[in-house]
Amino acid sequence: MTALGQPIDYLIVVAYFVGILGFGAYFGRFTKSTRDFFFGGQRFSWWLIAASLVATGIGSYSFIKYAQAGYLRGMSSTMTYLNDWFIIPLFMFGWLPIIYFARIKSVPEYFQRRFDEKTRIVATIFTLLYLVGYIGLNFYLLGTALKALLGIPISVSVPVVALISAIYVTLGGQTAVIFTDLIQGLFLYLAGAILLFLGLSYVGGFGEWWSNLDLAHRLPLPGFNRPPDFNFSAIFWGEGIAGTIAFTFINQGFIMRYLAAKSVTEGRKCLTFNTLILMPISAIVVGNVGWIAASMLAKGMTVTLADGSAVRLSQIDPKEVFVLVANVIARPGIFGFVIAALTAALMSTIDTLINACAAISIFDVYRPYIKKDASDKHYLKASRVASVLATALGLLLVPVFAGPESIFAAHYAFVSMVTPPMAVAILLGVTWKRFTPKAAFWSMIIGGVLILLSVFFPVLIKPFAWTHNISPEGGYKYFRAVYGVVVVGALAVIISRFTKPKPESELVGLTFETIQKAKELFKGGKPNEEPGQKLVRPMRIQKGSEKEIYLTQNDMNLLEAREGDLLYIADGRRWLGGLRSLHVKAGKPHDQDELVLVPEPVAKEGNLLRHRKVRIEKIM
């Protein structure tokens, strides 16, 4: 089968695969426990987490998906990237501090601590369906691109990528995921900028491009309720509920990334920067090829297929817009770089989801029900096996997403079914102490059944879609999320009124009202939140078994720290982003000027180097 591109393009793609495999595997040396494997030791700076989330977020939506949407719908394809604002405050000041300070390892674990064990089991099933399904979707998207480039079937190209992803995730865990996603994020931003520049040049410049777009393609938002498969009402509700809430509150991979931050404050900085700066940039990066293609269509330009024939854009499958248009506007070598970036975008989401599936498998299935009270070393080995199994399950789901409907429709048809029950349970669990365990359990079970019934009987969704005058064409795929939230929410409130809530003493640290108490439990004492300075000091590693470090009284005063406070010590090189660092308590002050005394076990755990200065700051 003839393929697009030139030999140099293939060489670049192969070099990328080899490089990212070696780069990711390198970080296996920093993974010594399950805490490292899943949460990176909770040590990283906000900018590193934010940069790695660029690749994770873009991979979730993909160049292919938004090129298709941009080609068919124009500038309004950016709407889904800018639809996060209304839920962000609740995550920043509610969900994030709760899961961080309560030391919650997985979303289902919250369900057990907030409700009961049987609700945790239901949450585990829903979460695994969501995550494994997302792995399958992203494998399919990647296979679509590589089929056009390499000319080989998805059944061959996808397993190769799956193998590479599984290897470096299995070896390096969350640390490998974060640092490979950092590199992959830089790759895809650079590729997006190159394509935008080359694309505008190809169609005759910015003015020519803009003049060739019709009015509908220039508008920043789609029509209120038309067309049925992409309109404002459907995208707002479908993306806002099934997309944003699911990705922010349920996606274990997303949550684990924020739990890898060195503090809640760093997590909030990351989320703010990501929402206000990186998401708008990402919307342009992933959508611009589709916008260029729309202008090319208006000018009657052609693209070259793998067999060398030239056809008009109106004759191709919109799913292939990205690869075919990129091949036309990019020169040899540049095209290979673009495909490598596309691969990076999708692999970065896949590796996050694989790591997340492994976490759920270990914390919510293997440890509580199969192998209790084993050593952490045993669970670390089991985590690596779980990563391989999650990859295999994702591969089996690829055919599910290979149907004739649009990628947008396939995405929301899947996500809208599995996320509303858990989304409602989390939101009510965090904000309403009266929400009972029985209400959580039965609203998820009954609500899940009613959502499934709506697939076979779309008329159930009609009352909700009718309020926006949405037509029944397509089975109300986008409004299934609204239907699910209303049904599950109503069940939750009604059942709560007739059942007994948990005692407030058992809800400490698990609701918005008890976050301050959660801080005390996290530290093991009353938090000291007086602002202090951040210091850079020489370090001396000494013998000892203590899990604390020792500073001078003057440095303690500068930090506004007291003995027993939680500190963060890191290699003085900020560009490492916290790779060599850890949290540790402040010990009794010493009298050796401007020197930090660090016991050997602490230095080893934090991967600190003897000849390097360290940065110290107070966490609480």
Side-chain angles (χ1 to χ4, degrees):
M1 182 181 292
T2 305
L4 296 174
Q6 301 297 322
I8 189 174
D9 297 317
Y10 309 147
L11 180 62
I12 290 173
V13 173
V14 172
Y16 167 77
F17 278 138
V18 173
I20 208 69
L21 177 60
F23 186 76
Y26 166 80
F27 290 97
R29 63 190 295 186
F30 296 97
T31 301
K32 305 169 185 175
S33 65
T34 53
R35 184 168 178 262
D36 292 333
F37 190 83
F38 293 120
F39 307 108
Q42 291 188 310
R43 66 182 69 179
F44 296 114
S45 300
W46 71 268
W47 62 264
L48 179 58
I49 302 294
S52 69
L53 280 171
V54 166
T56 301
I58 288 182
S60 299
Y61 297 100
S62 86
F63 279 104
I64 300 173
K65 174 180 167 182
Y66 281 93
Q68 177 186 352
Y71 169 64
L72 296 175
R73 310 301 176 195
M75 308 296 289
S76 61
S77 64
T78 62
M79 179 180 171
T80 54
Y81 261 91
L82 309 177
N83 209 24
D84 300 340
W85 55 269
F86 70 97
I87 201 66
I88 294 305
L90 183 57
F91 180 84
M92 289 179 65
F93 300 103
W95 187 230
L96 176 60
I98 286 173
I99 58 177
Y100 197 100
F101 292 133
R103 302 183 189 276
I104 290 172
K105 299 181 180 67
S106 70
V107 175
E109 181 186 344
Y110 175 81
F111 279 77
Q112 175 159 7
R113 292 170 62 175
R114 175 62 178 85
F115 305 114
D116 53 30
E117 185 174 0
K118 64 178 182 292
T119 308
R120 178 183 191 169
I121 294 173
V122 175
T124 300
I125 294 171
F126 275 111
T127 305
L128 286 175
L129 284 173
Y130 172 80
L131 293 174
V132 175
Y134 241 136
I135 293 175
L137 172 62
N138 280 276
F139 275 147
Y140 167 67
L141 293 173
L142 184 55
T144 300
L146 294 183
K147 178 183 178 182
L149 170 68
L150 303 175
I152 58 177
I154 292 176
S155 59
V156 176
S157 60
V158 169
V160 171
V161 175
L163 178 63
I164 293 171
S165 301
I167 288 174
Y168 74 73
V169 173
T170 299
L171 293 176
Q174 184 69 226
T175 302
V177 170
I178 288 174
F179 278 90
T180 53
D181 284 6
L182 170 66
I183 299 301
Q184 292 177 147
L186 295 175
F187 250 78
L188 61 90
Y189 262 18
L190 181 58
I194 291 173
L195 286 174
L196 179 60
F197 174 78
L198 294 178
L200 290 175
S201 299
Y202 189 80
V203 297
F206 181 86
E208 184 73 11
W209 164 73
W210 185 254
S211 65
N212 286 322
L213 296 180
D214 59 35
L215 179 60
H217 276 71
R218 295 180 185 181
L219 295 176
L221 299 174
F224 180 73
N225 54 20
R226 294 291 185 275
D229 62 337
F230 193 90
N231 59 78
F232 177 88
S233 300
I235 297 301
F236 178 82
W237 290 111
E239 172 66 19
I241 294 174
T244 299
I245 294 179
F247 194 76
T248 308
F249 288 82
I250 300 173
N251 189 318
Q252 177 74 16
F254 179 88
I255 291 170
M256 287 165 60
R257 195 65 58 86
Y258 278 93
L259 291 179
K262 67 182 181 183
S263 67
V264 170
T265 299
E266 292 288 295
R268 288 169 175 163
K269 289 179 183 177
C270 170
L271 185 60
T272 301
F273 186 76
N274 193 45
T275 303
L276 299 181
I277 306 297
L278 297 182
M279 292 295 278
I281 295 175
S282 297
I284 297 172
V285 166
V286 299
N288 73 77
V289 169
W291 307 336
I292 299 297
S295 180
M296 291 172 61
L297 176 66
K299 296 186 69 171
M301 292 181 169
T302 61
V303 293
T304 304
L305 300 181
D307 60 7
S309 61
V311 299
R312 293 182 180 274
L313 280 165
S314 58
Q315 297 175 274
I316 69 171
D317 185 343
K319 292 181 182 179
E320 298 179 351
V321 161
F322 176 83
V323 173
L324 294 177
V325 172
N327 181 55
V328 170
I329 65 178
R331 301 176 180 86
I334 298 294
F335 182 62
F337 179 82
V338 168
I339 295 300
L342 172 65
T343 306
L346 294 167
M347 284 180 64
S348 62
T349 296
I350 292 167
D351 59 25
T352 299
L353 294 170
I354 291 172
N355 192 242
C357 277
I360 299 293
S361 301
I362 296 301
F363 294 132
D364 300 295
V365 179
Y366 188 75
R367 177 180 283 180
Y369 301 111
I370 298 176
K371 187 75 172 179
K372 296 182 179 180
D373 303 321
S375 66
D376 190 73
K377 185 177 181 180
H378 172 84
Y379 290 127
L380 180 59
K381 291 180 179 179
S383 300
R384 290 178 165 135
V385 174
S387 298
V388 175
L389 293 177
T391 306
L393 287 174
L395 283 173
L396 294 176
L397 288 178
V398 169
V400 175
F401 297 99
E405 61 185 346
S406 75
I407 299 172
F408 255 105
H411 172 205
Y412 288 113
F414 161 69
V415 177
S416 295
M417 284 181 57
V418 300
T419 57
M422 287 191 63
V424 170
I426 290 174
L427 293 176
L428 289 180
V430 169
T431 59
W432 190 32
K433 291 189 294 184
R434 184 67 180 76
F435 188 31
T436 69
K438 288 185 178 179
F441 177 78
W442 287 110
S443 64
M444 291 174 68
I445 293 292
I446 299 173
V449 171
L450 291 175
I451 293 171
L452 182 61
L453 285 175
S454 73
V455 176
F456 303 99
F457 304 101
V459 68
L460 293 172
I461 308 176
K462 185 176 181 179
F464 304 92
W466 174 82
T467 61
H468 291 68
N469 195 29
I470 300 293
S471 72
E473 184 179 343
Y476 306 112
K477 288 183 178 67
Y478 297 94
F479 264 76
R480 181 165 289 114
V482 182
Y483 163 78
V485 167
V486 173
V487 168
V488 176
L491 287 168
V493 172
I494 293 171
I495 297 173
S496 289
R497 291 300 180 186
F498 295 95
T499 53
K500 185 178 180 180
K502 293 185 77 170
E504 291 194 15
S505 60
E506 296 182 20
L507 302 180
V508 173
L510 302 175
T511 63
F512 182 77
E513 297 178 15
T514 61
I515 289 177
Q516 188 61 34
K517 184 64 177 178
K519 291 181 180 180
E520 296 182 21
L521 296 175
F522 180 80
K523 180 190 174 184
K526 187 176 180 180
N528 170 15
E529 298 183 285
E530 296 179 18
Q533 298 182 29
K534 298 178 181 179
L535 307 177
V536 177
R537 294 288 185 264
M539 173 187 64
R540 177 187 296 169
I541 298 177
Q542 61 183 23
K543 292 184 178 181
S545 58
E546 304 89 352
K547 290 289 186 177
E548 54 189 19
I549 61 173
Y550 308 95
L551 299 91
T552 65
Q553 185 61 59
N554 182 58
D555 283 346
M556 293 282 280
N557 294 338
L558 293 174
L559 289 169
E560 292 290 348
R562 297 186 288 268
E563 186 176 348
D565 281 352
L566 186 64
L567 306 180
Y568 175 77
I569 180 172
D571 188 294
R573 295 168 290 179
R574 292 181 180 275
W575 57 268
L576 287 177
L579 179 62
R580 298 182 181 276
S581 65
L582 80 161
H583 295 89
V584 65
K585 289 194 173 183
K588 187 176 180 179
H590 66 80
D591 57 3
Q592 301 181 43
D593 290 342
E594 294 192 348
L595 188 67
V596 181
L597 303 180
V598 180
E600 287 181 343
V602 173
K604 183 178 180 180
E605 182 180 349
N607 301 297
L608 300 174
L609 302 176
R610 290 180 179 274
H611 61 285
R612 292 287 182 181
K613 289 186 176 182
V614 292
R615 292 181 291 113
I616 309 102
E617 63 181 278
K618 182 185 67 182
I619 299 298
M620 67 169 63

